[in-house]
Amino acid sequence: MQQSTGAATSSAADSGMGATDLVSRCGGDGGGGGGNSCSGGSSDPAAINTTISSKQADAREPQEEQVAIHYLASFHELCVVTALLPLVTLFTCFVTAYVFQYDDVHETHCRVYNIIPSISAITGVSPQRYFWRFSIALHIGPRIPIAFVYKNYYRSQLRRISPAQVPQTSLLITLILVLNCIEIASLGGVTYISNRENYPVHERIFITFMVCSLCYMLATIKLNSILNAGQALSEKQLLSIKWKKILFAVSILSTVGLLVFFAKHRFYCHDLAFSWFAFFEYLIAIANMLFHFTIIWDFPSQFMMIVQGPRENLAQYLSNRPKLD
């Protein structure tokens, strides 16, 4: 053990002397008239350490993550499916309930003659209620992000108007978003809380849906008139605005008829009063669905995608892509 220790000590001392001699020779030769006998670059130890450190840092630096697209879908097709889903489901529920469950869907508290069942009646019996609820669940999912897409779409057009109009128009855009979200929530409420299970709550949620739906339509038409004033619009934009106005007028007239015949049915139990009430209820529902269906003209060629990458790269990638008003 003592011999091994001594050998290690002697070896370390020799190694230290060798290193000292090398430094002294390099320093001595470098100081003597410009010749440097040490090969391999600069004789400055600090420069050597800096070079080594920079190479180690470069080796540790990870490669820059590229932008990767994991999902790309046509926003136009998504909106078409979302808008048509409840319309097709409603028609299916009406036909099947009318044919196979006629007595169940025509039953009212007045016990009077009736030929048209209400939406609550045809979607409140089994198995139509499960089909309707499943359809609305699929419908509501995309409606929420679509509401925020519309908000950003409208905000991107604020540059068209004068700066004095921007604050009030921004508030109107926020109001449209809130009304749209309340309408979506109310649609879920009237779907999952049927009139057979809890009529008072169902009735209040239905009223909320009606009010928010009409206010949303009116606010959207008003906003489009502000943003598009003096602008050259495409054929699809003109179609969208035209049908929004027509469907809003249909909704207003149908709401008036619905209220009149609801009062006749509720307080006077007139024959066919409930059928007329149900008829106007269908008109309101279809007008509402078609009003949201005009999104196919507002976003005719957009895409929805899920991308991965650093936020800086994504911002640069999206900023370099062409933008469509």
Side-chain angles (χ1 to χ4, degrees), residues 199-237:
Y199 180 79
V201 175
H202 178 88
E203 183 181 40
R204 288 176 175 81
I205 296 177
F206 178 74
I207 293 173
T208 303
F209 172 81
M210 290 287 300
V211 172
C212 290
S213 175
L214 292 175
C215 291
Y216 169 78
M217 292 180 180
L218 179 61
T220 300
I221 293 172
K222 177 63 177 177
L223 178 63
N224 277 283
S225 66
I226 295 174
L227 295 177
N228 297 322
Q231 300 291 327
L233 302 179
S234 65
E235 182 180 354
K236 291 182 178 180
Q237 289 175 320

Side-chain angles (χ1 to χ4, degrees), residues 1-304:
M1 290 294 291
Q2 292 178 354
Q3 292 176 357
S4 300
T5 305
T9 306
S10 174
S11 177
D14 294 341
S15 175
M17 289 175 63
T20 305
D21 292 341
L22 177 62
V23 173
S24 62
R25 286 198 302 270
C26 291
D29 294 340
N36 190 352
S37 62
C38 293
S39 60
S42 173
S43 62
D44 187 3
I48 296 174
N49 293 335
T50 303
T51 304
I52 295 175
S53 299
S54 63
K55 290 182 179 180
Q56 292 176 348
D58 293 339
R60 290 193 302 266
E61 184 178 356
Q63 295 183 350
E64 185 179 2
E65 187 177 359
Q66 300 297 322
V67 175
I69 300 177
H70 296 298
Y71 180 77
L72 180 66
S74 171
F75 191 66
H76 175 88
E77 294 177 359
L78 174 66
C79 295
V80 169
V81 174
T82 301
L84 290 182
L85 187 62
L87 184 61
V88 174
T89 305
L90 184 64
F91 177 77
T92 304
C93 290
F94 178 84
V95 172
T96 55
Y98 200 91
V99 172
F100 299 107
Q101 295 159 296
Y102 184 88
D103 293 334
D104 293 336
V105 298
H106 285 90
E107 182 182 357
T108 63
H109 76 282
C110 288
R111 308 288 181 179
V112 295
Y113 182 63
N114 182 34
I115 59 173
I116 302 179
S118 66
I119 295 178
S120 299
I122 64 173
T123 59
V125 295
S126 179
Q128 287 83 355
R129 75 161 66 97
Y130 307 116
F131 186 34
W132 176 250
R133 290 176 179 179
F134 179 73
S135 172
I136 293 300
L138 296 178
H139 172 77
I140 288 177
R143 282 281 303 275
I144 296 174
I146 287 174
F148 285 90
V149 168
Y150 257 121
K151 184 203 72 169
N152 295 329
Y153 169 71
Y154 290 138
R155 287 192 181 277
S156 67
Q157 300 183 39
L158 289 176
R159 63 181 183 275
R160 297 180 176 181
I161 61 178
S162 63
Q165 293 180 295
V166 170
Q168 292 183 348
T169 308
S170 297
L171 289 177
L172 184 59
I173 293 173
T174 303
L175 176 63
I176 289 174
L177 174 64
V178 172
L179 290 172
N180 199 358
C181 291
I182 296 176
E183 178 190 338
I184 296 170
S186 301
L187 176 61
V190 296
T191 299
Y192 293 98
I193 304 176
S194 67
N195 60 342
R196 295 172 182 261
E197 297 171 349
N198 195 328
Y199 180 79
V201 175
H202 178 88
E203 183 181 40
R204 288 176 175 81
I205 296 177
F206 178 74
I207 293 173
T208 303
F209 172 81
M210 290 287 300
V211 172
C212 290
S213 175
L214 292 175
C215 291
Y216 169 78
M217 292 180 180
L218 179 61
T220 300
I221 293 172
K222 177 63 177 177
L223 178 63
N224 277 283
S225 66
I226 295 174
L227 295 177
N228 297 322
Q231 300 291 327
L233 302 179
S234 65
E235 182 180 354
K236 291 182 178 180
Q237 289 175 320
L238 293 174
L239 274 175
S240 177
I241 295 172
K242 172 187 173 181
W243 278 103
K244 280 181 170 68
K245 293 179 179 179
I246 292 174
L247 294 169
F248 174 68
V250 171
S251 297
I252 288 291
L253 295 176
S254 300
T255 301
V256 173
L258 180 141
L259 294 175
V260 169
F261 286 102
F262 177 78
K264 288 185 177 183
H265 166 72
R266 186 72 176 269
F267 301 111
Y268 304 105
C269 289
H270 288 180
D271 288 342
L272 295 178
F274 191 77
S275 295
W276 281 106
F277 165 83
F279 172 75
F280 286 114
E281 186 182 29
Y282 284 108
L283 283 183
I284 292 171
I286 294 172
N288 178 273
M289 295 175 192
L290 293 180
F291 187 93
H292 291 291
F293 191 70
T294 58
I295 193 174
I296 66 173
W297 293 312
D298 295 332
F299 301 101
S301 59
Q302 280 73 10
F303 289 86
M304 181 180 68

